[in-house]
Amino acid sequence: MAVGILLVGGFGTRLKPLTSESPKPMLPVAGLPVTEHQLLAAKRAGIHTLVLATSYLSEVFTPYFGDGSKWGMKILYAVEKEPLGTGGAIRNAAQLLDLESLGDEPIVIFNGDVLSRHSIADQITYHQSKSADATLHLIEVEDARAFGCVPTDDDGRVTAFLEKMENPVTNSINAGCYVFHPSVLQRIPLGEVVSIERETFPALVASGRPVFGYKEQAYWLDVGTPAALFKGSRDLIEGEFHAMPGCEIDASAVISGKSSLGSKVRVGANVVIDDCIIGDEVTIEDGARLSQCFIFHKTTIKAGTVQSRHYLSSTISEPINLP
Ligand code: GDD
Ligand code: MG
């Protein structure tokens, strides 16, 4: 058994314009918000309580996840008026967990923009076998510059934490899922802006505390850019496309390129959709042709619209180019 904190409060700057109306973790991937994919993975690992550490567009999460009972979990919400950074967000969210009563029950922290199929349960077991303060999921990437670079010794002990450096000393990177002993949280100051990557981890390592790396090379993706979000959605889809329940698709429509359709999407006659992400309750009228577009929830696409590589939403007058 374990409890979790999901970091979902970033601005999602590299995902603009997709994040103009939705926080990054609520963007749909294969029909479900990124956060929901993570919630399901957390539940499989025995996590029963999850705090969502929200800030930017915090009001979007609660109506969707409620108290978590739909998923058989308990979901709580921490809101930062101003973003507190990753460490500050974790400390703030931890106030909703009764740390004293947790005893040694591990706390699992998730970056809210990661799709990972690694075994969280095995990571927890490894953490406990090492009696670690913190255990970081590590993966190997070809280019480590955009990530936290995390060298380890032969025993798996983390020897340094180097966030985003030009000349990475190893290809082993922080994959954004940590198991913490509850005592680690007490070391983070409350109500201050703190970076877990630039402050807390380097300080823990420097003071000789046991920080370990759990290496598992499973499917992994940070969906922090539009290209990555589209890739993440395609990766989860088998077949030509995926439609959530309640969709009505005209028999003459052609949908391909691992497009994803949210719930209750209506697709008219002779519509062509290729490699698109389409939100919930979208209507696409007859004859529209869409390729590599992101269509926000509840948008109506007029008959005959032809569009590629754009963000379309009912709240904006002109489609916006996707980078
Ligand atoms: N609540 C809250 N408050 N959440 C935040 C804040 C904040 O102030 N700042 C960032 N987050 C959340 C983001 O929403 C995201 O889910 C997560 O923290 C990580 O932030 P990113 O902005 O996506 O960081 P990154 O991708 O550049 O780097 C991080 O992830 C890499 C793996 O994908 C670091 O943890 C790297 O070390 C790591 O390699
Ligand atoms: Mg990220």
Side-chain angles (χ1 to χ4, degrees), residues 6-12 14 24-25 38 52-56 78 80 82-90 110-114 144 146-150 161-164 173-176 178 193-194 196-197 201 220-224:
L6 260 167
L7 295 173
V8 292
F11 289 116
R14 284 167 300 155
K24 166 165 70 171
Q38 293 192 296
L52 303 193
T54 71
S55 183
Y56 174 64
E80 300 146 50
E82 295 296 327
L84 289 169
T86 45
I90 293 166
F110 300 88
N111 279 357
D113 60 346
V114 168
F147 302 104
C149 186
V150 187
F161 193 107
L162 306 153
E163 182 68 9
K164 299 191 180 89
I173 62 135
N174 166 28
Y178 325 123
V193 176
V194 180
I196 202 84
E197 296 91 348
F201 287 141
W220 183 90
L221 188 70
D222 175 323
V223 298

